[in-house]
Amino acid sequence: MKRILISKTRKLIGEKVKLAGWVSARRDHGKLIFIDLRDRSGIIQTVVIPDKEEAYEAAKKIRHEYAIEMEGSVKERPSGAANQELTVGNVELEVEKIKILSKIEEDLPVDISEKEMKLNLETLLNYRSLTLRNERINLIFKVYSELLRLYGEFMRKEGFLEIKTPKILSSATEGGANFFKIKYFDRDAYLAQSPQFYKQAGVGIFERVFEVGTVFRAEPHFTTRHVNEYVSLDAEMGFIDSFEDIMNQLEKTVSFMFGSIKENCAKELENYGAEISGFKTIPRIKLTEALSVLENKFGKKTEKIDIDPEGERMICEWAKKEYNSDLIFLTHYPSNIRPFYTMPSADPQYTESFDLLFRGVEIATGGQRIHDLSQLKENMKKHKFNPEDFKSYLDIFRYGMPPHGGWGLGSERMLQKILGLKSIKEAVLFPRDVKRLAP
Ligand code: AMO
């Protein structure tokens, strides 16, 4: 007999089937043994009765998380028993045969059968290969898979070509000190902090490109929104009139993703008590205006023209009240806190750049880039970089580079904030932070 998925049993009442999966729970009720079997499609309750001697003897030995195979007939379940949220519900399996495929090596260090595991983050991450099996945690990554798919789908529809760029680089891309230096044979190299240089090269070739790729940040901060390796949803587009074009494109993209997640992941969102509202436009205000709001409405003064995490939380709170929006664009960041490739505004103290904030956290950064070679070299010098060290990057601008710009969108931050997870680390399968390099 060929194995079928648990979700298919619903329509097979009275039929004999073979199922395979993991043991979510085993309950002994008098002479009966109930085993909840879980596969990728759902969970089904199974019953083993003493009459089926061989199966019964096997069932007695079975423990949580064994991988097993079962054969039996599908029965309708008494009504009222069908309401367990994540189970197939209206059917159960009367077991005739059991085959143990793989046992557990030792007692389970954590109980993953509870619906809502009350583990601290450390434990949750230490036993990751096990805790990820928990039904509710599983859902996070189903939403993530959909989020990644939707990004690709929409970008392609909008004429962006998907590219993959190198992650081992000869120079750091984003300035600052948060890069990892590695040994590359007899030279030094850097792990990519972003696909910045190569996606710009992509514009010179294909006009519009996007990338879903892993990037690395030697961020020493141990926070709820930083990891040291994350997946960036990047885009870069040519022949723009201004950086407004980029915000418009990002706005359309996020609007499409939110709308589709709302529809396609209703069950998952409900489980997390998460709601996302559809929108057409996202309010846009200058960073300096945001700082005035902070001062006037929240009594928060800042010395430099910059916004800290607390300010980002406050401005999102304000955007919710003022515009009923979970998202807000802050624009025109000062040039001294933006990378050298950022296009200066008419007033060169500022730049044609933005951050997109969502529910209190920055989820994307973007802007227009300098596309004129000599202007770029000058700006590098202003930022204390030597153009000689960026020769191959500068080559991009030698042969007809159009006005362009793009964004980097942190996929895990987006997922974290959609589901309302406390830490970004819950939104990463196997997160890397200052203290964690395994599992
Ligand atoms: P930036 O450095 O702001 O911009 O990064 C873009 C987005 O990436 C996410 N992000 C992170 N997520 C998790 N952990 C981190 N340590 C981390 N650091 C950043 C955030 C952030 O908004 N090249 C530019 C983008 C561009 O202009 O196209 C860049 O990398 O969501």
Side-chain angles (χ1 to χ4, degrees):
M1 208 188 297
K2 217 171 141 40
R3 174 213 181 189
I4 63 157
L5 287 178
I6 288 171
S7 58
K8 303 272 184 233
T9 54
R10 227 174 306 205
K11 297 216 174 90
L12 295 174
I13 293 168
E15 311 253 339
K16 286 214 185 304
V17 297
K18 184 202 264 185
L19 305 175
W22 291 274
V23 174
S24 267
R26 178 187 132 186
R27 295 176 295 276
D28 296 8
H29 276 301
K31 288 249 152 73
L32 302 180
I33 300 176
F34 291 92
I35 290 171
D36 286 349
L37 186 71
R38 176 185 83 243
D39 71 11
R40 67 177 195 273
S41 72
I43 295 187
I44 187 170
Q45 172 170 289
T46 73
V47 199
V48 197
I49 54 171
D51 289 3
K52 307 281 175 210
E53 265 171 52
E54 244 177 82
Y56 195 71
E57 285 313 304
K60 280 205 243 168
K61 292 191 209 115
I62 279 174
R63 303 177 58 195
H64 287 194
E65 297 311 311
Y66 271 32
I68 64 170
E69 217 172 65
M70 288 175 146
E71 282 177 42
S73 32
V74 180
K75 297 265 143 77
E76 195 156 10
R77 258 175 105 174
S79 63
N83 283 331
Q84 279 176 344
E85 222 172 300
L86 295 158
T87 56
V88 160
N90 65 333
V91 293
E92 65 181 16
L93 188 79
E94 213 172 271
V95 180
E96 283 157 25
K97 271 194 207 158
I98 296 180
K99 186 169 162 195
I100 295 172
L101 301 174
S102 182
K103 299 183 179 177
I104 53 172
E105 289 289 319
E106 60 207 60
D107 287 344
L108 298 180
V110 288
D111 181 6
I112 59 160
S113 65
E114 289 171 63
K115 203 152 136 218
E116 220 167 311
M117 292 194 297
K118 301 255 179 324
L119 300 175
N120 65 35
L121 191 59
E122 273 299 292
T123 314
L124 199 70
L125 299 179
N126 285 344
Y127 300 108
R128 203 59 172 151
S129 50
L130 198 56
T131 56
L132 284 168
R133 286 189 186 179
N134 172 267
E135 292 161 40
R136 192 158 185 270
I137 292 182
N138 235 255
L139 299 180
I140 299 174
F141 297 93
K142 293 189 174 156
V143 178
Y144 192 48
S145 171
E146 185 61 7
L147 183 155
L148 296 174
R149 190 187 70 76
L150 290 168
Y151 185 71
E153 180 187 319
F154 191 71
M155 295 311 286
R156 264 186 284 274
K157 202 168 94 194
E158 295 285 302
F160 288 75
L161 187 82
E162 178 161 20
I163 59 169
K164 296 290 177 195
T165 64
K167 302 302 162 206
I168 305 174
L169 308 182
S170 63
S171 58
T173 51
E174 297 298 325
N178 64 358
F179 50 77
F180 288 108
K181 202 170 178 181
I182 58 162
K183 267 254 131 341
Y184 189 70
F185 303 107
D186 56 353
R187 292 187 272 172
D188 287 334
Y190 301 86
L191 291 183
Q193 296 158 287
S194 97
Q196 187 61 37
F197 294 177
Y198 290 91
K199 65 176 180 168
Q200 287 186 260
V203 167
I205 309 161
F206 303 112
E207 222 181 283
R208 289 182 160 204
V209 292
F210 77 97
E211 177 167 10
V212 177
T214 300
V215 293
F216 307 89
R217 299 281 171 109
E219 204 83 62
H221 312 298
F222 199 75
T223 76
T224 56
R225 60 183 197 290
H226 288 100
V227 278
N228 297 102
E229 179 180 318
Y230 69 93
V231 173
S232 185
L233 308 180
D234 275 89
E236 201 70 16
M237 56 200 268
F239 301 101
I240 57 170
D241 292 328
S242 80
F243 83 119
E244 299 277 335
D245 290 349
I246 299 157
M247 284 191 281
N248 295 343
Q249 187 65 46
L250 179 54
E251 193 171 70
K252 274 205 276 183
T253 306
V254 176
S255 172
F256 172 80
M257 290 170 80
F258 279 16
S260 307
I261 287 174
K262 194 176 164 147
E263 215 166 280
N264 305 346
C265 302
K267 184 184 90 178
E268 288 82 0
L269 293 180
E270 194 193 324
N271 203 289
Y272 275 83
E275 276 177 32
I276 34 181
S277 7
F279 65 89
K280 282 228 164 58
T281 58
I282 299 172
R284 303 171 184 190
I285 64 166
K286 286 189 170 160
L287 175 63
T288 46
E289 288 164 14
L291 297 180
S292 311
V293 171
L294 293 185
E295 188 165 346
N296 299 333
K297 306 261 176 205
F298 295 88
K300 181 179 167 70
K301 282 201 176 122
T302 29
E303 282 178 14
K304 282 189 257 161
I305 307 177
D306 197 0
I307 187 165
D308 62 8
E310 182 193 49
E312 291 181 338
R313 273 195 300 277
M314 289 170 171
I315 213 69
C316 283
E317 203 184 294
W318 174 80
K320 186 76 189 165
K321 273 201 209 119
E322 194 76 12
Y323 301 104
N324 193 26
S325 175
D326 286 332
L327 294 139
I328 183 166
F329 278 117
L330 303 186
T331 66
H332 300 93
Y333 281 68
S335 49
N336 63 346
I337 57 166
R338 283 301 203 203
F340 65 77
Y341 53 74
T342 317
M343 181 68 96
S345 300
D347 172 355
Q349 198 196 334
Y350 298 100
T351 57
E352 301 290 277
S353 71
F354 62 83
D355 271 9
L356 177 62
L357 313 188
F358 173 47
R359 295 185 174 160
V361 168
E362 168 206 323
I363 59 162
T365 294
Q368 182 167 356
R369 330 296 187 185
I370 298 173
H371 59 278
D372 177 80
L373 182 60
S374 51
Q375 188 186 2
L376 186 56
K377 281 185 184 164
E378 279 315 303
N379 216 43
M380 275 182 171
K381 288 183 204 154
K382 271 193 211 149
H383 279 78
K384 310 266 181 285
F385 288 110
N386 182 359
E388 293 298 314
D389 297 338
F390 294 86
K391 205 192 146 308
S392 57
Y393 174 57
L394 291 172
D395 281 347
I396 299 172
F397 303 89
R398 285 183 200 285
Y399 314 107
M401 187 63 171
H404 67 284
W407 68 74
L409 172 64
S411 66
E412 298 87 348
R413 282 192 188 178
M414 192 178 196
L415 178 64
Q416 177 197 357
K417 287 289 148 184
I418 286 176
L419 291 177
L421 305 174
K422 283 206 191 85
S423 169
I424 188 173
K425 290 166 205 172
E426 293 177 63
V428 185
L429 270 185
F430 296 101
R432 296 289 173 256
D433 66 28
V434 190
K435 296 180 195 158
R436 185 174 294 279
L437 205 47

